[in-house]
Amino acid sequence: GAVVSQHPSWVICKSGTSVKIECRSLDFQATTMFWYRQFPKQSLMLMATSNEGSKATYEQGVEKDKFLINHASLTLSTLTVTSAHPEDSSFYICSARDKADTQYFGPGTRLTVL
Amino acid sequence: GEDVEQSLFLSVREGDSSVINCTYTDSSSTYLYWYKQEPGAGLQLLTYIFSNMDMKQDQRLTVLLNKKDKHLSLRIADTQTGDSAIYFCAESNTGGFKTIFGAGTRLFVKA
């Protein structure tokens, strides 16, 4: 079946640094990818919808200058957390939608900001 | 590795009950979730159940867990057209950070 990978799976960084998270669809082309943020035992929060070749659409309350999204190809989207702070520590999950409109989730990236 | 499986489609008539099934492989699962996704929207947490529970009821929703068979189901009573959506089953282990999702079941409700 379709597989979506994320890299890295776990990252620890110092406050003020930037972190890039990659999301790849391994065996299908994804014109649309989604980025979610999850706090423990809580619902996923949709951060943005990323369409290949165009600017991402951010949800209300999500700072586009802080969470930079680049969907450079049909198989790769990246999320960069700029000037990360401890409150950005969370679990970030991407998903990719194929041509049949089926959504596949990545395994997630756990970000810890010290 | 861990895996969560669901059937991809379910079609029911308005007013009938819907039952969406899910199986998982991780025996250390602690929390099991049901999410709903409407077109163009993000995931909305419907309900979750701890692994030490067999059943949880919340208004029209009933969650049944068979831990021995690693089988989870979501029953929607008196299904309405507004219930048409994709329903995702998910599981996570102690700590709640890593969550594994199923591919989603698309529920069609016919008037």
Side-chain angles (χ1 to χ4, degrees):
Chain A
V3 176
V4 173
S5 70
Q6 283 184 238
H7 178 79
S9 56
W10 195 5
V11 56
I12 301 173
C13 69
K14 291 183 179 179
S15 185
T17 61
S18 295
V19 175
K20 180 186 282 188
I21 303 170
E22 291 185 350
C23 176
R24 292 181 186 272
S25 57
L26 297 185
D27 55 1
F28 67 100
Q29 293 182 331
T31 53
T32 304
M33 289 184 174
F34 303 90
W35 286 97
Y36 294 88
R37 182 174 177 178
Q38 184 184 30
F39 296 96
K41 306 175 195 177
Q42 293 186 28
S43 191
L44 291 183
M45 181 192 78
L46 178 65
M47 299 174 66
T49 302
S50 168
N51 293 298
E52 186 266 337
S54 62
K55 291 182 179 180
T57 303
Y58 289 81
E59 295 299 303
Q60 193 172 9
V62 178
E63 299 176 59
K64 61 178 69 174
D65 293 331
K66 180 165 183 64
F67 298 100
L68 300 178
I69 291 172
N70 186 346
H71 196 151
S73 74
L74 287 171
T75 59
L76 173 65
S77 176
T78 60
L79 167 68
T80 301
V81 183
T82 62
S83 186
H85 291 282
E87 57 265 29
D88 299 323
S89 297
S90 190
F91 195 58
Y92 293 87
I93 299 175
C94 77
S95 69
R97 193 165 64 192
D98 68 7
K99 292 179 181 178
D101 205 28
T102 301
Q103 195 169 170
Y104 300 93
F105 288 85
T109 296
R110 182 173 176 177
L111 171 63
T112 302
V113 185
L114 303 176
Chain B
E2 304 99 337
D3 193 19
V4 175
E5 293 192 353
Q6 309 175 234
S7 53
L8 293 182
F9 299 98
L10 176 65
S11 179
V12 300
R13 289 185 179 177
E14 191 175 20
D16 288 349
S17 292
S18 308
V19 179
I20 303 171
N21 294 301
C22 168
T23 58
Y24 60 96
T25 59
D26 186 1
S27 57
S28 65
S29 294
T30 305
Y31 303 95
L32 295 126
Y33 308 86
W34 283 106
Y35 289 85
K36 177 182 181 182
Q37 185 180 34
E38 296 179 357
L43 296 184
Q44 172 197 358
L45 179 64
L46 285 179
T47 185
Y48 67 90
I49 189 170
F50 294 106
S51 60
N52 62 357
M53 298 169 63
D54 297 324
M55 185 183 85
K56 182 178 181 180
Q57 187 154 3
D58 183 5
Q59 299 181 338
R60 292 191 296 123
L61 305 179
T62 303
V63 178
L64 294 177
L65 174 61
N66 182 329
K67 195 174 179 180
K68 174 176 172 288
D69 294 338
K70 300 191 185 69
H71 181 268
L72 183 74
S73 68
L74 173 69
R75 179 177 179 268
I76 306 172
D78 187 24
T79 312
Q80 302 297 307
T81 54
D83 295 323
S84 293
I86 303 175
Y87 291 81
F88 291 89
C89 169
E91 61 91 8
S92 66
N93 52 21
T94 304
F97 259 110
K98 183 174 181 179
T99 306
I100 309 295
F101 286 83
T105 298
R106 195 179 295 265
L107 175 64
F108 296 96
V109 182
K110 296 175 285 188

